[in-house]
Amino acid sequence: MRRSLPLLIAVLLALALPADAGPVWNPDAFSAKLDNLATSGLTGTANSLSYRVHELERHFHGRERWYGKLAVQTATDWADNNLTPFVCISGANDYGTDANDEALVIGTADTPTIAGMAQYDLHRLFIVDSSVDELWKIQLIYGAGTMAAAIAAGQYSTIMFFSDVVANQNPHGPVEVMMPRAAVGSVQVWARCWSGTDNATLEFFAGWHEYEG
């Protein structure tokens, strides 16, 4: 009897409460689904769930722009809407380190290409020619300062492919690139190339995505 006394008291108190004693818990009031709620996506809170979901959706279903080398590159403007490829030059079994061996791909004046965009990422390269038939490595460097500072900070990705023009084994299609998103108008992109032949050349176009936030 002693063990059941607290339960009996609780039941009696509940029966004694007036009808307007307060709201009754309704589980349906707390079961609104996420897909019924409006979100701001990339224009909302950075790194929130809706922000990340919208980022992924834009990466796969957004707009892509392809560019070649500007005829006369300046300190800030490197790309143009044309059919002139960028060119990078290899060292002797190393990245090219002579003056102008690197390709200036995206300058601070080259983004945004779509008005109102705040971020971008380099997505693909379309390699169209190489002067030698052999293995290549491409280093894609990004940063708001100098290329040397970006390399020292580890701000780069690398991709590889084998070029065999005689056997028609050039990658006749875009080559996927991995790069973090970066702020438009401030982060630049350079490309360095590595083959087994000193002063070998590689020609390519660059395509990138842009994002609202």
Side-chain angles (χ1 to χ4, degrees):
M1 179 66 181
R2 289 182 179 179
R3 293 182 179 180
S4 61
L5 184 59
L7 176 60
L8 177 60
I9 293 173
V11 170
L12 292 174
L13 287 173
L15 292 174
L17 288 173
D20 60 350
V24 178
W25 180 67
N26 178 9
D28 291 337
F30 300 91
S31 61
K33 296 172 62 178
L34 181 62
D35 57 11
N36 291 335
L37 303 176
T39 64
S40 299
L42 285 169
T43 60
T45 303
N47 297 324
S48 65
L49 176 59
S50 66
Y51 182 96
R52 289 303 187 191
V53 170
H54 197 197
E55 176 187 0
L56 291 172
E57 192 276 335
R58 275 288 183 267
H59 182 76
F60 290 105
H61 302 293
R63 290 169 285 181
E64 186 167 283
R65 297 288 192 266
W66 282 88
Y67 289 88
K69 179 183 176 183
L70 182 67
V72 180
Q73 293 181 316
T74 69
T76 60
D77 197 357
W78 301 347
D80 195 11
N81 184 23
N82 61 23
L83 296 178
T84 302
F86 298 101
V87 180
C88 58
I89 304 173
S90 173
N93 196 29
D94 202 347
Y95 292 116
T97 57
D98 294 337
N100 302 317
D101 276 359
E102 74 278 5
L104 310 180
V105 182
I106 303 175
T108 56
D110 295 319
T111 58
T113 62
I114 303 171
M117 298 293 108
Q119 301 274 332
Y120 81 95
D121 61 4
L122 184 61
H123 184 212
R124 297 186 288 184
L125 299 183
F126 184 29
I127 300 164
V128 294
D129 198 11
S130 62
S131 63
V132 294
D133 297 342
E134 56 191 28
L135 186 64
W136 284 88
K137 180 184 284 187
I138 306 174
Q139 183 184 50
L140 297 162
I141 307 142
Y142 57 92
T146 65
M147 183 180 73
I151 293 172
Q155 295 173 190
Y156 60 83
S157 293
T158 58
I159 57 176
M160 299 186 69
F161 74 98
F162 188 85
S163 173
D164 190 341
V165 178
V166 175
N168 197 31
Q169 291 179 356
N170 260 2
H172 294 291
V175 178
E176 298 291 328
V177 171
M178 296 292 289
M179 173 188 161
R181 297 192 316 137
V184 300
S186 62
V187 175
Q188 307 163 104
V189 174
W190 303 262
R192 296 200 303 171
C193 298
W194 176 342
S195 77
T197 303
D198 192 20
N199 291 322
T201 59
L202 188 71
E203 301 181 11
F204 61 91
F205 293 91
W208 62 85
H209 297 158
E210 295 184 345
Y211 306 80
E212 296 93 320

